[in-house]
Amino acid sequence: MAGTPRFPSAAAALAAVAALVTASACAAPTTAPRAGSGVTAAAAVRVMPLGDSITDGFNVPGGYRVDLWQKFVAGGYSIDFVGSSSNGPGNLGDRDHEGHSGWTIAQVDANVVAWLRTHTPRTVLLHIGTNDIYGSDPAGAPNRLSALIDKITTQSPDAVLLVATITPLSSYDDRVRTFNAAVPGIVRAKADAGRKVHLVDMYRALTTADLADGVHPNAGGYSKMATAWYDALRSIPGSIDDGGSPPTTTTTTTTTTAPPSGACTASYRTVGTWQGGFQAEVAVTAGASPITGWTVSWALAPGQGIDQVWGGVSTTSGSAAAVRNAPWNGSLTARASATFGLLGRGTASTPSLACASP
């Protein structure tokens, strides 16, 4: 077909596609027991890793789930991975997941309601879309992702959903970039509508040097994915804990303003960094009296810019950054909090924040 991108060789194309479809065609989920998680399902936060072969762990058994589990253990979190599939090595304390090799967004969409009803996760880690890049309609993938997000958040409105951009591919990078460019806007629209949806920029967390076969991450790439998931989860209260303070301190820097009585405070946390960009979270807390709205402002460092904001409305102009509340999170009772997140370009820094309330 004219204008269709091609792999560098037919052999490379066959290898990549075969890798994506192998497990779903010839292997049923195993029933390997969990290896000493030390927590009971009733006490743990239920987290569903959801996606395709990259969630399953092609090339590296367990994939990102191995390092992510180890980070949970080291951080003192009680987590129960849930899903209808189960596999992974001995150092993966909980092997359950919903990673299905070769599956597209539509295939996950057709099954996700049943999975959610069965496993009732509090938090869902969604990395899906890679197989759509190879399909007949990659341009329609963003709309299919949007519909999938709607289905998940309608079925499980109280669950926290983390939506990742897909990891790089050695071929078809133009298609990957086009798909990924649409994801932040989709997530922002859902968040602005009051849904518990958050963005994780997985594409920028890895490079093609982190791929084992041009498609699936190698061990180092999966480790980077685990770090991106973990940093994002720690920035979202209630996603992997009871919504209070996390059990261990973070390595990121927080600054807090000292507003007048009855106004608000704002604290800033760098969630993740990569070459040329960063992700941050800002928590806004009402003072001694209720507020009906808030605006957080700060000065951007030289070379910085804001590309995306969710959970708030950006009114940034030049180097003067400002974000006001979204329609659904402006009214706060005394001492109550709301958060917004952002993707920035440039080098991460620790700004001095000002918080004002009308």
Side-chain angles (χ1 to χ4, degrees), residues 206-296:
L206 280 71
T207 71
T208 54
D210 297 310
L211 304 179
D213 56 5
V215 178
H216 304 88
N218 55 29
Y222 279 124
S223 182
K224 289 181 179 180
M225 290 187 72
T227 298
W229 285 128
Y230 187 66
D231 287 346
L233 287 164
R234 284 177 60 87
S235 75
I236 304 168
S239 64
I240 52 174
D241 54 36
D242 61 4
S245 299
T248 58
T249 58
T250 69
T251 58
T252 52
T253 303
T254 301
T255 58
T256 306
T257 62
S261 176
C264 54
T265 61
S267 61
Y268 182 103
R269 197 161 72 93
T270 300
V271 175
T273 62
W274 52 86
Q275 185 174 1
F278 58 93
Q279 180 176 339
E281 179 198 61
V282 176
V284 179
T285 303
S289 300
I291 59 175
T292 58
W294 47 261
T295 298
V296 178

Side-chain angles (χ1 to χ4, degrees), residues 48 59 124 131 176 226 233 282 336:
M48 177 181 284
N59 288 321
V124 178
N131 293 294
V176 174
L233 287 164
V282 176

Side-chain angles (χ1 to χ4, degrees), residues 125-349:
L125 310 180
L126 178 63
H127 183 277
I128 192 67
T130 298
N131 293 294
D132 292 75
I133 298 301
Y134 298 108
S136 60
D137 183 27
N143 287 336
R144 293 191 292 275
L145 178 66
S146 178
L148 173 59
I149 294 171
D150 285 343
K151 184 168 285 189
I152 293 170
T153 55
T154 298
Q155 174 60 37
S156 302
D158 295 326
V160 176
L161 173 60
L162 277 66
V163 180
T165 55
I166 60 173
T167 51
L169 296 173
S170 293
S171 299
Y172 294 167
D173 185 61
D174 56 339
R175 292 186 180 185
V176 174
R177 286 177 176 270
T178 298
F179 173 78
N180 282 339
V183 177
I186 294 171
V187 171
R188 183 175 66 251
K190 309 301 183 185
D192 287 348
R195 307 201 177 204
K196 296 181 179 181
V197 183
H198 304 266
L199 178 70
V200 179
D201 194 348
M202 203 65 74
Y203 179 82
R204 294 191 185 185
L206 280 71
T207 71
T208 54
D210 297 310
L211 304 179
D213 56 5
V215 178
H216 304 88
N218 55 29
Y222 279 124
S223 182
K224 289 181 179 180
M225 290 187 72
T227 298
W229 285 128
Y230 187 66
D231 287 346
L233 287 164
R234 284 177 60 87
S235 75
I236 304 168
S239 64
I240 52 174
D241 54 36
D242 61 4
S245 299
T248 58
T249 58
T250 69
T251 58
T252 52
T253 303
T254 301
T255 58
T256 306
T257 62
S261 176
C264 54
T265 61
S267 61
Y268 182 103
R269 197 161 72 93
T270 300
V271 175
T273 62
W274 52 86
Q275 185 174 1
F278 58 93
Q279 180 176 339
E281 179 198 61
V282 176
V284 179
T285 303
S289 300
I291 59 175
T292 58
W294 47 261
T295 298
V296 178
S297 57
W298 68 97
L300 294 171
Q304 284 186 339
I306 296 178
D307 292 329
Q308 300 288 342
V309 172
W310 56 94
V313 179
S314 177
T315 57
T316 298
S317 177
S319 63
V323 175
R324 59 178 172 81
N325 60 273
W328 49 271
N329 64 356
S331 295
L332 300 175
T333 59
R335 312 301 183 190
S337 297
T339 62
F340 68 86
L342 63 91
L343 291 180
R345 60 184 179 276
T347 302
S349 62

Side-chain angles (χ1 to χ4, degrees), residues 36-62:
S37 67
V39 296
T40 64
V45 175
R46 300 168 68 83
V47 175
M48 177 181 284
L50 176 61
D52 51 33
S53 57
I54 293 174
T55 297
D56 177 89
F58 192 88
N59 288 321
V60 179

